Amino acid sequence: MTERYVWDLQEVDETQVAVVGGKGAHLGGLSRIEGIRVPGGFCVTTDAFRRIMAEAPSLDDRLDQLSRLNPDDREAIRTLSAEIRRTIEGIAVPGDLAAAITRALAQLGEQAACAVRSSATAEDLPTASFAGQQDTYLNVVGPTAILQHVSQCWASLFTERAVIYRQRNGIDHRTVHMAVVVQRMVFPHAAGILFTADPVTGNRKVATVDAGFGLGEALVSGLVNPDVFKVRHGEVVAKAIAAKQRAVHALPTGGTQEVAIDSQRQEQPALTDAQVVRLVQLGRRIEAHFGGPQDIEWCLVDGVFQIVQSRPITTLFPLPETRDQENHVYVSVGHGQMTDPMKPLGLSMWQLTAMVPMHTAGGRLFVDVTRRLASPASRAGLLDVMGRGDPLIRDALETVLDRDDFVPSLPDARPGGPPGRGASAPIETDPAIVTELIERSQVSIAALERDIRTKTGPALFDFLLEAFEEHKRVLGDPLSMQAIMAGMEATWWLNDTLREWLDEKNAADTLTLSAPDNVTSEMGLALLDVADVIRPHSEVVAFLQGVEDEGFLDELAKLTGGTEARDAIEAYLDRYGMRCVGEIDITRPRWRERPTTLVPVILDNVRNFEPGAAERRFEQGRQKAQKKEQDVLSRLRALPDGDRKADEAKRMIDRVRTFIGYREYPKYGIVSRYFVYKQALLEEAERLVQAGVLPEKEDIFYLTFQELHDVVRSNQVDGRLIQQRKDAFRSYHALTPPRVLTSDGEAVTGAYGRDDVPAGALIGLPVSAGTIEGRARVILDIAEADLEAGDILVTTFTDPSWSPLFVGIAGLVTEVGGQMTHGAVIAREYGLPAVVGVEQATRLIRDGQRIRVHGTDGYVEILP
């Protein structure tokens, strides 16, 4: 096919990104929408860019060097990218290419003023916004200047910020090509940006217009504050008119300059309300064409709006799909589990095994609570449970409820929601109940392991669908639910009542220390026992310090003491190897699959503890809880009606110690089952790889359970779908999941609304009493942990897999979590002061800073 260097804008649309780049493709698409005016122009294609790159063979070596650089090595990137830009700008534009550009320019008028804009092929995609990564030149006049600026646009693919952006996002420099858009320049009265969804809250029903006088450059470059208008349902609902002291205007000879605005005009709106509403109507038409919210650059010329750019708003959190037009309120599941995105197989497996319907958006799970909020009876119970778990979620829900028209009111007849804080669950305080529940779970898992062994192909999927029903039956066992609620309600009763009777906050935190039957806290202590086996053998310790390969357990047996060390680690993996960070996502690598994850924690335990630490820790906690119980009961007996109060408290203390440890067991059961499911599915994936259906077995993680079932039946897979899912998953990491999301797209953030903390302190939820000072260790990956005694762990979220770290720290701070999430439960078990739900803790607290954690009052101070 003949290379074609120039296309008229009218000839292209958004399907031709590979030819004219993201900006050019979007502009071509815009110019085809009825009623949308786009300044005329043409695109210099990526064929032209490739031709230029081929003119300088030395660029190949430099691109190789560039791809090998660390994205954090700013100096090396700056030097090398500047060399590449100089080389590209120094290449003479070949005669036939220059002639093609000059001919297209003659169609616009050879001396017409033009805007010359870079348009990269990886720009303005639904999954990555490259806004501002490459360059735009305004008011360029004459063929010589146009050619020079086209060269500068080609070179701008290698600006320092563009190179770093690609490296951080895993985009190969060679796969991105640069087209250039040359458009007739417009000289507007006003210009600015229209967001068809509110870029701050995400609300898809609210459009935001930023407007200023002259060219839009003044706003984009931050030279002036814009007028800001908000439009909902066709009317301006809010506006802020700025004092616009300066504007950017075009010069007759080319280029632009800043000019001062006459003082009488400075505070005049750049647009009338009627113009703003008209602009938003155009924006809605553009949004409908492209199928999603848009960030649109516009100009007002002689009373007519011209659109000079439109790209997707990539920072908005996506919406769960619904089949109706009703209002919906969604609560994040991740804020009680993990906030990282999950892969499609993980999402669909959790949906198939969850006790309530779950919706997906942005790689995260949400529960629709609209019906429960609509009925006053279920609303109270829901808000109470949510508030105890995460006060920010409760506050966000109340914010939505305050908007009278969003959640409809339903009669109370409909039963709804999780139980509120009614009377204690009607079961005896009997440890045998917990023993029986654990045995039931173990028998069910053993049957699953036995029966799945013979199942392959479509029969495996039929078997798994039945297994999911058994999974839910065990999870929903009424006795199990009663045991969990009994422990939680006893905790709430003790905290509320002892605060009232003894003016003591969070008394249950000490009373639950070293509670029996907690499989997660046992897991942390058991790794101390593993360290005890390894510590005496210096050769084993030295070997573990250099371990990188997952096959290291086989190598251990060759060392003195290595067999005992291997057996200890193997025994630990037999009991806990199904766990890992983010374990609700079945696709995450388990400890049994990646045992090197545990090595740094084992080595920390070897270094920081003496032999027998596990047993001592547990016994110290048990004695502390016993002492606390005696203290509380004796103080109660001294009160009026003291014997009754003491007896009631004693009943609740016994109840909490009997049942609170079991709170962690159902999750252990879920994850144990998940590992069995996963191993069977990976064996199926291996067969698909052997049959040439899939390139690699982990590709199944990007299919839903049903899609994988179809692939196994048909022996055919859509490779493009898997690639799209991989790209989408990568993009989800950049999104911050909201605690509460509405069907309008609004991410509703709650507030603590507290004034009882010192100025500058970071507010959170108190979940484990005590105050501790120490060095903050900000750790986002458990494999990177390097802790010393007395350190305070600061992280985004913890799940049971983090428990082995808890034995070696002095306190805990997390960004998400509630009273009954795993981190809080284990912090109390180990007696660690802990504050959770601290917004942006990992950004506001620097690694190595000294902090003071107020676990009783729920705040963190950063110390000088």
Side-chain angles (χ1 to χ4, degrees):
M1 191 174 121
T2 317
E3 290 175 333
R4 187 170 166 194
Y5 297 132
V6 173
W7 292 59
D8 191 274
L9 266 183
Q10 298 280 344
E11 294 180 273
V12 299
D13 63 25
E14 54 272 29
T15 63
Q16 289 159 294
V17 172
V19 180
V20 295
K23 195 171 294 168
H26 267 75
L27 280 168
L30 278 168
S31 64
R32 291 161 177 252
I33 306 171
E34 194 180 335
I36 302 298
R37 300 280 290 276
V38 176
F42 59 88
C43 301
V44 181
T45 65
T46 51
D47 281 343
F49 173 76
R50 278 189 285 269
R51 168 95 180 264
I52 289 295
M53 293 294 280
E55 296 278 322
S58 66
L59 285 171
D60 243 15
D61 289 343
R62 289 189 176 139
L63 285 180
D64 282 342
Q65 283 175 268
L66 196 60
S67 62
R68 287 195 293 271
L69 291 178
N70 185 316
D72 295 323
D73 190 350
R74 303 289 290 259
E75 196 52 48
I77 288 174
R78 185 176 300 129
T79 306
L80 191 51
S81 60
E83 273 179 40
I84 293 171
R85 287 198 305 278
R86 276 196 304 275
T87 303
I88 293 170
E89 286 179 30
I91 296 168
V93 179
D96 57 334
L97 175 48
I101 295 170
T102 308
R103 273 197 306 275
L105 192 57
Q107 300 286 312
L108 296 179
E110 201 166 278
Q111 290 305 309
C114 293
V116 182
R117 296 165 174 264
S118 58
S119 178
T121 53
E123 183 177 31
D124 299 343
L125 303 177
T127 56
S129 175
F130 282 63
Q133 295 296 331
Q134 282 90 36
D135 292 347
T136 289
Y137 303 97
L138 299 177
N139 203 29
V140 183
V141 179
T144 307
I146 295 281
L147 286 171
Q148 180 192 339
H149 285 87
V150 167
S151 282
Q152 286 173 292
C153 281
W154 288 328
S156 76
L157 191 62
F158 297 99
T159 60
E160 182 188 344
R161 65 182 184 274
V163 166
I164 290 171
Y165 186 92
R166 287 196 294 272
Q167 286 186 258
R168 289 200 194 290
N169 285 274
I171 298 167
D172 182 345
H173 300 300
R174 291 173 190 278
T175 62
V176 184
H177 301 115
M178 181 65 85
V180 182
V181 176
V182 179
Q183 261 180 306
R184 187 190 296 277
M185 188 73 191
V186 291
F187 301 100
H189 158 76
I193 299 161
L194 158 63
F195 297 97
T196 64
D198 188 316
V200 177
T201 68
N203 195 323
R204 309 309 201 259
K205 300 262 176 82
V206 175
T208 301
V209 175
D210 290 3
F213 294 121
L215 292 166
E217 244 3 62
L219 305 191
V220 174
S221 64
L223 178 65
V224 295
N225 289 327
D227 297 340
V228 180
F229 302 85
K230 292 195 180 292
V231 176
R232 186 183 175 99
H233 300 318
E235 67 175 292
V236 175
V237 292
K239 60 181 166 183
I241 307 304
K244 300 170 288 296
Q245 295 171 338
R246 307 190 72 69
V248 174
H249 284 178
L251 292 167
T253 53
T256 60
Q257 72 171 18
E258 286 179 30
V259 296
I261 294 176
D262 189 290
S263 58
Q264 277 100 14
R265 278 186 70 216
Q266 285 181 8
E267 300 205 19
Q268 282 180 4
L271 296 177
T272 65
D273 283 10
Q275 286 172 326
V276 169
V277 169
R278 193 162 85 240
L279 174 61
V280 170
Q281 286 169 344
L282 296 175
R284 293 284 175 226
R285 206 175 287 179
I286 294 168
E287 179 181 66
H289 175 84
F290 288 120
Q294 298 288 302
D295 162 355
I296 297 164
E297 289 180 30
W298 56 269
C299 299
L300 182 66
V301 187
D302 300 328
V304 175
F305 284 108
Q306 300 230 23
I307 305 301
V308 294
Q309 186 164 316
S310 181
R311 57 174 166 255
I313 309 176
T314 57
T315 54
L316 298 178
F317 200 84
L319 290 174
E321 284 181 21
T322 56
R323 294 198 178 96
D324 59 43
Q325 297 301 307
E326 303 294 315
N327 289 345
H328 293 270
V329 182
Y330 303 98
V331 169
S332 163
V333 174
H335 283 80
Q337 301 282 349
M338 68 160 187
T339 50
D340 289 353
M342 295 167 67
K343 295 190 181 87
L345 186 63
L347 289 167
S348 67
M349 293 286 279
W350 193 262
Q351 285 175 299
L352 286 163
T353 52
M355 301 303 291
V356 293
M358 295 204 174
H359 304 261
T360 66
R364 277 79 170 190
L365 291 158
F366 293 86
V367 174
D368 186 343
V369 295
T370 320
R371 281 195 169 279
R372 293 189 225 166
L373 286 176
S375 161
S378 57
R379 180 188 308 153
L382 177 75
L383 290 175
D384 188 46
V385 170
M386 290 290 173
R388 288 183 175 280
D390 184 339
L392 293 177
I393 290 180
R394 177 178 182 140
D395 189 73
L397 290 174
E398 287 174 336
T399 301
V400 176
L401 286 167
D402 286 343
R403 297 169 193 160
D404 298 335
D405 58 341
F406 194 81
V407 177
S409 236
L410 292 176
D412 277 346
R414 183 182 179 85
R421 274 193 64 223
S424 293
I427 57 171
E428 293 298 309
T429 304
D430 180 0
I433 292 172
V434 173
T435 308
E436 183 194 337
L437 284 167
I438 290 172
E439 280 174 5
R440 282 189 204 175
S441 176
Q442 287 172 338
V443 166
S444 176
I445 292 166
L448 170 68
E449 288 174 330
R450 182 188 67 237
D451 296 344
I452 204 169
R453 283 185 196 132
T454 56
K455 307 294 187 290
T456 60
L460 169 66
F461 288 83
D462 296 337
F463 172 81
L464 282 172
L465 288 170
E466 288 174 27
F468 298 161
E469 292 310 307
E470 166 67 2
H471 179 125
K472 288 194 276 192
R473 189 195 64 72
V474 172
L475 208 53
D477 181 338
L479 188 63
S480 177
M481 305 294 274
Q482 285 176 318
I484 291 167
M485 288 311 297
M488 285 165 61
E489 286 173 351
T491 304
W492 296 338
W493 187 95
L494 286 165
N495 280 337
D496 292 351
T497 311
L498 295 181
R499 185 161 191 175
E500 184 189 329
W501 288 347
L502 297 175
D503 194 28
E504 182 163 343
K505 292 180 186 173
N506 301 350
D509 294 0
T510 309
L511 294 166
T512 52
L513 286 170
S514 299
D517 299 312
N518 187 319
V519 69
T520 306
S521 59
E522 286 166 5
M523 177 171 75
L525 297 174
L527 207 58
L528 288 175
D529 291 335
V530 172
D532 285 356
V533 174
I534 289 167
R535 193 178 290 107
H537 304 294
S538 55
E539 201 180 339
V540 172
V541 173
F543 170 76
L544 289 176
Q545 282 163 345
V547 156
E548 286 177 8
D549 187 272
E550 297 301 343
F552 75 93
L553 287 170
D554 296 332
E555 298 297 308
L556 269 176
K558 301 171 187 170
L559 309 174
T560 307
T563 305
E564 296 96 302
R566 184 195 61 194
D567 291 349
I569 295 171
E570 284 284 3
Y572 186 86
L573 290 172
D574 286 344
R575 181 144 165 76
Y576 304 110
M578 76 296 286
R579 309 220 82 150
C580 67
V581 172
E583 61 193 10
I584 69 166
D585 182 351
I586 198 171
T587 72
R588 292 284 191 107
R590 311 282 135 178
W591 289 344
R592 172 52 84 186
E593 296 169 305
R594 202 172 284 176
T596 52
T597 311
L598 291 172
V599 170
V601 193
I602 293 170
L603 290 170
D604 281 351
N605 288 349
V606 166
R607 188 176 71 241
N608 295 335
F609 291 92
E610 296 294 319
E615 196 176 334
R616 271 198 311 280
R617 284 288 295 269
F618 189 79
E619 186 54 29
Q620 283 164 359
R622 199 184 63 76
Q623 286 179 14
K624 216 170 172 181
Q626 206 169 22
K627 193 174 168 203
K628 182 69 173 177
E629 177 183 330
Q630 290 163 356
D631 171 58
V632 163
L633 296 179
S634 67
R635 283 159 63 202
L636 286 175
R637 287 196 187 97
L639 298 176
D641 198 16
D643 285 347
R644 179 191 63 79
K645 288 175 176 170
D647 288 348
E648 215 172 324
K650 172 63 175 156
R651 273 201 308 280
M652 286 299 179
I653 291 169
D654 289 347
R655 201 162 178 76
V656 84
R657 289 196 69 78
T658 299
F659 292 116
I660 202 66
Y662 177 71
R663 164 77 179 74
E664 291 291 297
Y665 201 86
K667 178 89 180 291
Y668 176 76
I670 291 170
V671 177
S672 299
R673 287 173 188 282
Y674 262 29
F675 194 36
V676 179
Y677 306 153
K678 182 181 187 179
Q679 287 169 304
L681 290 173
L682 282 174
E683 283 173 24
E684 210 53 51
E686 188 56 52
R687 280 189 277 277
L688 291 169
V689 171
Q690 296 299 329
V693 177
L694 285 177
E696 49 191 59
K697 60 183 183 181
E698 282 78 14
D699 282 351
I700 68 166
F701 297 160
Y702 297 93
L703 298 169
T704 66
F705 179 81
Q706 186 55 56
E707 288 165 347
L708 178 54
H709 191 177
D710 294 342
V711 169
V712 167
R713 266 207 311 263
S714 67
N715 264 347
Q716 289 180 311
V717 71
D718 181 350
R720 285 169 314 174
L721 175 68
I722 288 176
Q723 190 53 52
Q724 282 168 4
R725 295 271 177 81
K726 286 180 178 179
D727 293 342
F729 178 71
R730 194 166 55 236
S731 76
Y732 293 153
H733 283 277
L735 299 174
T736 303
R739 281 177 162 81
V740 172
L741 181 66
T742 73
S743 48
D744 284 355
E746 185 176 1
V748 190
T749 51
Y752 283 108
R754 286 171 51 191
D755 55 10
D756 59 342
V757 299
L762 309 180
I763 301 174
L765 182 65
V767 294
S768 185
T771 302
I772 193 75
E773 241 179 66
R775 178 179 70 155
R777 293 310 316 270
V778 180
I779 296 171
L780 302 179
D781 179 353
I782 194 171
E784 304 296 314
D786 180 16
L787 294 162
E788 291 176 13
D791 283 349
I792 297 169
L793 173 62
V794 180
T795 190
T796 44
F797 66 88
T798 63
D799 57 16
S801 68
W802 289 76
S803 303
L805 293 189
F806 282 28
V807 297
I809 58 175
L812 173 71
V813 179
T814 68
E815 292 183 349
V816 301
Q819 283 282 0
M820 288 296 164
T821 47
H822 305 279
V825 172
I826 306 308
R828 289 194 292 272
E829 287 267 327
Y830 288 166
L832 303 174
V835 181
V836 302
V838 180
E839 293 276 80
Q840 299 194 350
T842 58
R843 292 181 202 141
L844 297 172
I845 299 170
R846 289 198 312 277
D847 187 52
Q849 272 185 321
R850 286 196 68 76
I851 60 173
R852 186 181 296 128
V853 177
H854 295 262
T856 308
D857 295 308
Y859 64 92
V860 180
E861 290 179 284
I862 298 174
L863 303 175

